[in-house]
Amino acid sequence: MKFGIELVPNEPVFKIAAYTKAAEERGFEYVWITDHYNNREVYSTLSVLALATNKIKIGAGVTNPYTRSPVVTASSIASVNEIAGGRAVLGIGPGDKMTFEALGLAGEKPLAAVRETADAVRGLLTGKKVSYDGSAVKLKNAKIDFADPKKTGTDMNIPIYIGAQGPKMLEAAGAIGDGVLINGSHPDDFKTAAVQIQKGAETAGRNIREIDVAAYTCFSIDDDPEKAYAAAKPVAAFIIAGASDVLLERHGVSQEIKEEIAGAILKGDFIGLNTIVTDKMADRFAVAGDFDECLAKVKELEKAGVTQLVAGSPLGPNKEKSIKLIGKMILEF
Ligand code: F42
C-alpha cells in the first residue's frame, strides 16, 4: 500500500507547503492538490511544493478538460515536473459540475473530454508536434518545446491518473489511466469500482495490476475517536448531500436523510448535522477513528483492491497530529 495526502489549497500556499513537508518526512509518497477555481491556483501551489520538498511526488488531483485546454494543462504540469526534478503526476477528471454553473461551462461529453484530454496531454508531453481531431479536443501541430527530453534532460513521462466515480468513467480509467483516483472511503465502493476498472483494462488489453487504484478518502484520525468522528461528520455530510442515488442505496442512506442533511447544511446547522449523521453513516463515507480503528479500516481497503490510500479532508481535528499518526501507520505497512 502506498500513501498519499490530499490537500485543498484553501489555506495560504506556504501552510500547504508545511503540511506537505511534514507528510514527506513521515513517509507519504504522494501529495495531491485539488483544482477548484475558487481556491489557490493548483500549478502555482505545486511549484512551491516542488521547491519545498525533495522526494514526495506532487500532483494535480484533479484538473479537468473545461477550465483549461489540454495544451495549458500539458505545459503547466511539464513546468512543475521540471521544477520538481521529475516528481510530477497529473490527475484529470470531468470536473465539479456544481462549480461549472458559476463559470458558464456546460461540462459536455465528459467521457470523450477526459479520454481525449489525457491522450492529447500524453502526446504533448513527448515534445513532438500533436494534431488531434477528436470530438472534444482539436489540435493542429501543437508542440510543447521544452517537453523534449533532449532539450531539458527532464523525462516528461508523467503518470496520468483519472478522477472517476461513475461506471463509464471508471471503465475509461481502466483503459487509459496509469492510475485512478476514486472519491470513496468504504471497501464496497472499491469492490464495485474494481469490476468497471477491470472491464476497461481488459478491453484495452491491459492488466488491472498495472493501474494504481487510489482511494481519495475522507480521513479523520485522532487519539480520541469521538473527536475523530466529530471532525469527519461535516465532510461526510457534504458527500452525502451530493451523492448519487446509486451511492446512497449502496450505503443504505434514504432520500429523506439526504434531504435532512442538505437542509441542515443550508441552514449552517453544524451541531444538528453531527446528530443526523450517525457514526454508522460516517463509517460508510469516511475512514474515521483512533489509530487502531483507522489501521484496521485501511487494511480492509487494501483487501478491496486499493493500492494507494490518499488521506483527504479533514485528516482529523488537528492536521499536524494526523500526519504524524498516519506516518506511524505507514511504518506498519
Ligand atoms: N473535481 C474537481 O473539480 N476538482 C478536484 O480537485 C477534484 C478531485 C477529485 C478527486 C478524486 C475524484 O474521484 C474526483 C474528484 N473531483 C474533483 C470530482 C470529479 O471531477 C468528478 O466530478 C467526479 O469524479 C464525478 O465524475 P464521474 O466519474 O461520476 O463522471 C460523471 C461525469 C458521470 O456522470 N459519469 C458517467 C459514468 O457512468 O461514468 C457517464 C456520463 C456519460 O456517459 N456522459 C455522456 C458522455 O458522452 O460523456 C454524456 C451524457 C449526456 O447526457 O450528455
Side-chain angles (χ1 to χ4, degrees), residues 135-171:
S135 61
V137 173
K138 300 218 186 276
L139 301 173
K140 200 169 169 191
N141 292 329
K143 185 168 176 277
I144 307 288
D145 294 326
F146 73 96
D148 181 349
K150 283 190 236 99
K151 293 200 175 145
T152 59
T154 306
D155 179 5
M156 294 293 176
N157 193 9
I158 299 169
I160 297 183
Y161 285 61
I162 307 297
Q165 273 161 301
K168 289 189 192 153
M169 202 61 76
L170 286 162
E171 209 179 310

Side-chain angles (χ1 to χ4, degrees), residues 246-291:
V246 178
L247 204 61
L248 292 181
E249 203 176 308
R250 184 183 305 153
H251 295 301
V253 177
S254 66
Q255 287 296 335
E256 292 71 38
I257 296 283
K258 175 182 172 169
E259 278 157 31
E260 209 181 326
I261 289 172
I265 292 174
L266 216 62
K267 278 193 270 170
D269 177 12
F270 290 96
I271 296 166
L273 265 186
N274 272 9
T275 44
I276 308 169
V277 180
T278 60
D279 284 4
K280 204 169 148 220
M281 228 184 278
D283 273 339
R284 305 293 302 191
F285 293 91
V287 176
D290 62 11
F291 180 83

Side-chain angles (χ1 to χ4, degrees), residues 78 106 196 203 209 212 236 262 292 306 316:
Q196 306 301 332
T203 320
R209 294 215 179 103
D212 187 13
D292 289 337
V306 171

Side-chain angles (χ1 to χ4, degrees), residues 6 33-36 61-64 93-97 99-100 108-113 162-170 181-184 216:
E6 171 231 36
I33 301 298
T34 57
D35 182 10
H36 290 102
V62 302
T63 193
N64 69 76
D96 179 359
K97 270 221 153 184
T99 62
F100 283 179
E108 280 165 352
K109 297 187 203 154
L111 282 170
I162 307 297
Q165 273 161 301
K168 289 189 192 153
M169 202 61 76
L170 286 162
L181 295 166
I182 305 168
N183 258 332
Y216 226 69

